[in-house]
Amino acid sequence: SQTIHQWPATLVQPVGSPLSLECTVEGTSNPNLYWYRQAAGRGLQLLFYSVGIGQISSEVPQNLSASRPQDRQFILSSKKLLLSDSGFYLCAWTVDTRNNEQFFGPGTRLTVL
Amino acid sequence: QKEVEQNSGPLSVPEGAIASLNCTYSDRGSQSFFWYRQYSGKSPELIMFIYSNGDKEDGRFTAQLNKASQYVSLLIRDSQPSDSATYLCAVPWGNTPLVFGKGTRLSVIA
């Protein structure tokens, strides 16, 4: 069965510090991978998605970036965090792009102080 | 503009009643529709999807789709306190894989 991992589970970082969140998927090959952010009082916002190694599509311009160094690894990064980057970061995957069913990891709760 | 609209709630129903959650969307070209359940502090969990007009039933859950009116709904029969959560509607939009509504918070009162 497929499993998706995210770490860390929670993170508290000061403004201006760097960020690296990691997502890995087990039990599947060639998944599409997604990064979402859910801020307080707001819906799920798609940040990036990737259809393969090295292929990244950005949905919203901001101070975040994403990379996919391996088939089942997706990384979200920032060089300098802003207060507005606080939120619940979720990684998701899908294999069958015909129907867009997405399955979410456990998430990382980020607080920027 | 990508719009998936849901009433934020809270929607309160007594235990054993039918909970009805609604979602409207703006893209007439959307072909698939998803319902996710999200417990407080947890990640969303896919519970239903529907592609064709009409009803789709899965246990206590029924998804209803009306493409002409651009709405999709989720009915939960025999609501239980464990159904208390936020329910998210999601729709593909152009090149965006899924656009999510802000969710409806459901509270089932014992």
Side-chain angles (χ1 to χ4, degrees):
Chain A
S1 63
Q2 298 88 359
T3 308
I4 183 168
H5 302 278
Q6 287 188 247
W7 61 88
T10 60
L11 192 58
V12 180
Q13 292 285 95
V15 170
S17 64
L19 174 72
S20 181
L21 302 180
E22 188 164 345
C23 169
T24 59
V25 182
E26 294 179 359
T28 187
S29 298
N30 303 315
N32 284 1
L33 296 173
Y34 310 86
W35 277 113
Y36 288 88
R37 177 172 60 202
Q38 191 173 39
R42 300 185 64 180
L44 274 170
Q45 181 185 35
L46 179 63
L47 302 175
F48 301 95
Y49 68 95
S50 171
V51 299
I53 296 173
Q55 300 179 65
I56 308 294
S57 296
S58 174
E59 285 291 302
V60 182
Q62 55 205 316
N63 69 321
L64 300 172
S65 62
S67 63
R68 186 165 175 179
Q70 301 179 40
D71 180 45
R72 288 172 284 181
Q73 185 184 31
F74 204 21
I75 297 172
L76 182 70
S77 304
S78 174
K79 292 182 179 178
K80 286 187 178 182
L81 284 169
L82 307 173
L83 285 174
S84 58
D85 291 324
S86 293
F88 193 31
Y89 286 81
L90 292 154
C91 181
W93 67 273
T94 187
V95 172
D96 187 350
T97 57
R98 294 171 300 173
N99 58 30
N100 282 307
E101 294 175 47
Q102 292 184 21
F103 302 92
F104 287 86
T108 295
R109 191 161 301 280
L110 172 66
T111 303
V112 182
L113 302 176
Chain B
Q1 186 174 356
K2 303 172 185 175
E3 291 188 355
V4 178
E5 300 287 343
Q6 298 181 254
N7 288 326
S8 60
L11 172 66
S12 294
V13 300
E15 183 175 359
I18 296 175
S20 178
L21 305 162
N22 298 314
C23 171
T24 59
Y25 58 94
S26 301
D27 184 3
R28 288 188 173 275
S30 296
Q31 297 296 317
S32 53
F33 306 86
F34 302 87
W35 283 100
Y36 287 80
R37 176 177 62 200
Q38 186 175 23
Y39 292 113
S40 180
K42 301 296 184 182
S43 60
E45 172 192 12
L46 179 65
I47 55 172
M48 288 284 289
F49 58 88
I50 186 167
Y51 305 130
S52 304
N53 272 332
D55 296 359
K56 178 182 178 182
E57 187 174 318
D58 184 0
R60 294 187 297 112
F61 298 98
T62 299
Q64 298 177 321
L65 174 60
N66 184 322
K67 290 186 179 180
S69 300
Q70 294 177 243
Y71 81 78
V72 56
S73 60
L74 180 69
L75 302 179
I76 306 175
R77 292 183 300 281
D78 188 23
S79 295
Q80 301 297 310
S82 59
D83 295 326
S84 297
T86 296
Y87 290 81
L88 306 172
C89 172
V91 180
W93 198 295
N95 292 326
T96 302
L98 283 180
V99 175
F100 284 80
K102 292 185 179 181
T104 298
R105 187 156 55 95
L106 172 67
S107 178
V108 180
I109 303 167

